[in-house]
Structure formats: C-alpha cells, structure tokens
Amino acid sequence: FRTVRRVERLQGGLDSPWTVMRFEFDAGTGAAAEAIFIPTYDHSVAAWVNGRFVGEAGSISPPIAINGYHPALFRLRPEDLRPGTNTVDLVVAQAVPGAGIVHAIHIGSLEQLETAWRWVTFASIDVLRIYNGLFVVLGAFALYVYLQLRRESVFLWFVLLIACCGLRNLDLLWPQ
C-alpha cells in the first residue's frame, strides 16, 4: 500500500464542526487501489472518491458520533476509480468545533489494508477494552477487601476512582 498526503483543506476551521480535506493519488502506480485506510481520525469521517460516496465511519450529521482514535477502512469499487489522478475528499466532523484531524490516508490492496486495520483496531480499541476489564477485576477485588475491612475507607475510594475511570472510557470502547 502507499501513503497519500493531504493536498489541501477545502473548508472548515476552528468555528466549524466539519472539515473537508482533499487527497490525490494516481491509480496507475504502485499497489492496487482496492481500499482506503485511515489509521485515526477525529470524530467521524465520510469519504468520496471522484465524487462518489464510498463510506462513512460514524455519523457526520448531527448528532455527530464520537469515534476518536478509531481506524476506518473503506472498500473501493472499480467504478469509483478512473485512469490517472483520482481525488479523495474526506469530510471530518467533530462534536466540538475545531480543525478535523486526518494526517494521511493509505490506499492499496484490500488484503494488506484489512490486516493493518485489524492491528490498529487492536492497538487503539481492544487494548483499552482489556485495560478496562482489568480495572473491573481490580475494582471488584478492592470492593471485596473493603467489605471485609470496613474501617479501611481507602479501598472504597479506590473502587469509586476505578468506576469513574471506567465510565470515562465507555465512549471510546464502542464506535457509534
């Protein structure tokens, strides 16, 4: 696969929840253009290739989905591409107005990019789920110790801290 850098920012900015970014690539060079992989974006993203809609990760219309740090993979159909230079327009939407974040996209074979998508999903989402699972186990143990030694309130405070951390991470665990 090959990395494609942003050509220009078409619209959006600090006062707008939407930012449109343009990327260009040549379909005739390098790896086959079967998919677009976006390793990270903030908060939702939709993609068009040569004016044809190819996919959306999260809702870009209000209410905007909050999918920070989740990867996106869009499959390309043969009719989406044309010989020579192709244009990818990304609409990046944020629940809080600001500059949309997409640094680079990758275009290549579906097999390679699906593998990359799985690894990035594991690193950015699944590890957090494992971390929260360990927090639940640790919190249950601390609650058990508190119930056995009621005079030690520090264990109850620790359980409350773990519960707050878990609630804070809920929005990062399930893509909307």
Side-chain angles (χ1 to χ4, degrees):
F1 63 89
R2 61 185 178 266
T3 301
V4 181
R5 302 273 177 219
R6 186 177 71 225
V7 175
E8 62 182 312
R9 181 184 297 263
L10 299 176
Q11 65 187 44
L14 295 178
D15 58 344
S16 172
W18 294 280
T19 301
V20 179
M21 297 179 195
R22 176 161 287 168
F23 299 79
E24 292 180 349
F25 70 98
D26 188 357
T29 61
E34 299 172 349
I36 298 172
F37 171 56
I38 305 170
T40 186
Y41 56 91
D42 194 21
H43 287 154
S44 297
V45 65
W48 283 262
V49 174
N50 298 323
R52 290 177 180 243
F53 179 76
V54 294
E56 180 178 53
S59 172
I60 63 167
S61 56
I64 295 170
I66 300 175
N67 289 329
Y69 312 114
H70 292 205
L73 181 68
F74 303 119
R75 296 168 193 241
L76 298 177
R77 301 172 304 246
E79 60 267 17
D80 294 333
L81 302 174
R82 60 180 178 223
T85 301
N86 289 270
T87 303
V88 177
D89 290 325
L90 297 179
V91 175
V92 182
Q94 291 188 300
V96 177
I101 299 172
V102 172
H103 298 290
I105 63 174
H106 305 285
I107 297 175
S109 74
L110 183 59
E111 182 181 339
Q112 284 182 319
L113 293 178
E114 271 186 337
T115 301
W117 177 81
R118 280 190 203 102
W119 279 108
V120 172
T121 299
F122 175 76
S124 62
I125 300 170
D126 296 341
V127 168
L128 185 58
R129 289 179 178 155
I130 293 168
Y131 169 79
N132 276 347
L134 293 173
F135 252 44
V136 168
V137 171
L138 187 60
F141 177 73
L143 183 60
Y144 172 77
V145 170
Y146 170 73
L147 292 174
Q148 297 301 315
L149 308 169
R150 295 208 185 245
R151 67 181 186 281
E152 298 291 336
S153 65
V154 71
F155 289 104
L156 181 62
W157 288 110
F158 187 67
V159 169
L160 292 174
L161 175 68
I162 287 175
C164 290
C165 289
L167 288 174
R168 185 259 175 259
N169 288 336
L170 282 179
D171 67 327
L172 299 175
L173 295 180
W174 291 277
Q176 298 174 356

